[in-house]
Structures are given as structure tokens and as C-alpha cells.
Amino acid sequence: GESVGLHLPTLSVQEGDNSIINCAYSNSASDYFIWYKQESGKGPQFIIDIRSNMDKRQGQRVTVLLNKTVKHLSLQIAATQPGDSAVYFCAEASGYSTLTFGKGTMLLVSP
Amino acid sequence: ETGVTQTPRHLVMGMTNKKSLKCEQHLGHNAMYWYKQSAKKPLELMFVYSLEERVENNSVPSRFSPECPNSSHLFLHLHTLQPEDSALYLCASSGTEGGRQFFGPGTRLTVL
């Protein structure tokens, strides 16, 4: 049969709102996690990363939360702007393994 | 600018053509990667080079042939491609195998 492409989850927010993008990972041995942003026509761009010895890390307008108990990662964007509209990917790695990427979430910010 | 450049940015080729994609990193990294990104699919890792040696080849068809002449350059040679190979091909590099990767802008490939 014909294969069907994955439907990308979409989060729509208003400008100025806080956004939360979630990611579930499967490998309990993963010890490094990273979020990327990909705008249309561009390559993925690093946003923030976190190691498994931490459960929270903050950057400029972004916060990553890690819950190892339920293998869950989230990216919080404060005061979301139209320029934040993009696809956001989480990725995980264990030791020196290469990154394993998630499917991505599309964030749409309306003025 | 991430320090990783890719050329060409766009490529249209017929199924009988031979072409090459080029990637260059200016970050002093030791590992380089090729990914394929198709619409609405996760990034698919194709090849990994660490210290100029291929360390991973994820069951990629032989019509894709990578080459890493030195730690700064990575090529993907293409021949006899199929229309389903049309995608965005992304190059990335990292300091060592594993860890934070820096991506280039990608080459948008269309196979007619």
C-alpha cells in the first residue's frame, strides 16, 4: 500500500503567550538532550541542551525541563514572537552515540 | 551562520545524472554527518564520519556514496537516483561523535 507521511503536531499560539512544546523519548540510557528550531528553507538551529544530571536549564526566553522518570522533555518559550514560528525538534543521545531525532512540532505564532 | 556551509543550495537532476553535494565546516570539528529530510518525516541519519573514517551507514542505497577527504569536507556523490530521493539533504558536524551538532542550510534535491 501507499505509505503516508507523518502528520506533524502543530501548536498555535498568540503573540506574547508562553509556548510549551513536549517531547517523549524512549531510551532510558539517554543522557544528553537537545532542542533544535528549523525555519522554512533552513537547516536546524541549536536552541538549548541539557544533560541528565539536571532537570532544568534556562536560556534567553527558553527553558528546557527534563523528567527522567517519565522520559519526557519540554521546551518552554516565554513571550512567543512571530519569529518563533518554526518546526521544533528534540533529540537524545547516550554516551558518544549519535543523536536520535524526534518527529518535530510545528509552532505557529499569530500576531 | 552556523559555520557549516553546503553547496549547491538547490539541485535538479535527472535519474541518469551524476552529481555531488558538498559540505564544509569551519568549526574544527572531528565528526560530520549526512541526513535526509523528507516532508513530514523525522530526520534520517545516512552516514557518520569520525576523524575521516566512516563509522555509521544506515542501510543507505548504494546510489548514495559519501566521501570525507579531510575533517573539514564531506561529499555525497549521487548517481542513478530515483524520484523518491527528492528531499532536503542536510550536513552537520560536531566536536566529537555524539553531542551537539551544527547543521548546514541543506541542499534541496529534486530528481525528475
Side-chain angles (χ1 to χ4, degrees):
Chain A
E2 181 181 356
S3 64
V4 179
L6 294 168
H7 176 69
L8 208 57
T10 300
L11 175 65
S12 297
V13 301
Q14 295 280 335
E15 181 178 2
D17 287 352
N18 296 332
S19 302
I20 300 176
I21 300 171
N22 297 303
C23 182
Y25 63 95
S26 56
N27 185 359
S28 56
S30 291
D31 57 8
Y32 177 69
F33 305 87
I34 189 167
W35 281 99
Y36 285 95
K37 170 187 179 183
Q38 187 175 22
E39 297 174 89
S40 180
K42 297 184 179 180
Q45 177 186 2
F46 169 83
I47 302 174
I48 192 168
D49 57 3
I50 189 169
R51 295 213 170 265
S52 58
N53 60 350
M54 302 173 68
D55 52 23
K56 180 179 179 179
R57 191 173 186 207
Q58 289 185 288
Q60 187 177 11
R61 281 201 307 120
V62 295
T63 301
V64 56
L65 298 177
L66 174 62
N67 186 331
K68 294 181 287 294
T69 303
V70 296
K71 296 202 282 289
H72 183 267
L73 191 69
S74 68
L75 177 70
Q76 300 178 0
I77 305 174
T80 315
Q81 303 167 359
D84 295 326
S85 294
V87 176
Y88 290 80
F89 296 94
C90 66
E92 59 179 300
S94 63
Y96 288 101
S97 70
T98 54
L99 292 170
T100 300
F101 286 84
K103 302 180 184 67
T105 297
M106 180 174 291
L107 176 65
L108 297 175
V109 183
S110 51
Chain B
E1 284 293 330
T2 63
V4 181
T5 58
Q6 289 186 245
T7 55
R9 294 295 310 277
H10 301 273
L11 178 62
V12 179
M13 59 188 289
M15 290 190 283
T16 58
N17 291 160
K18 289 184 180 181
K19 296 287 184 182
S20 295
L21 309 185
K22 179 182 176 182
C23 176
E24 183 173 0
Q25 58 95 0
H26 311 273
L27 302 168
H29 287 166
N30 290 322
M32 296 187 76
Y33 310 78
W34 279 117
Y35 288 89
K36 176 183 179 182
Q37 187 176 41
S38 304
K40 299 181 180 179
K41 289 186 178 180
L43 283 169
E44 299 174 56
L45 179 63
M46 300 175 72
F47 302 104
V48 181
Y49 277 83
S50 180
L51 297 172
E52 301 157 41
E53 289 192 13
R54 191 189 308 181
V55 295
E56 195 161 339
N57 175 352
N58 283 355
S59 302
V60 179
S62 59
R63 58 186 183 267
F64 295 91
S65 175
E67 178 190 0
C68 186
N70 55 61
S71 60
S72 298
H73 294 87
L74 187 65
F75 294 90
L76 188 63
H77 304 299
L78 316 171
H79 64 97
T80 325
L81 293 193
Q82 305 298 311
E84 60 264 29
D85 297 322
S86 298
L88 181 69
Y89 288 84
L90 290 160
C91 173
S93 70
S94 64
T96 56
E97 190 182 347
R100 177 177 165 184
Q101 293 178 23
F102 293 75
F103 283 85
T107 295
R108 173 65 63 185
L109 174 67
T110 302
V111 182
L112 301 177

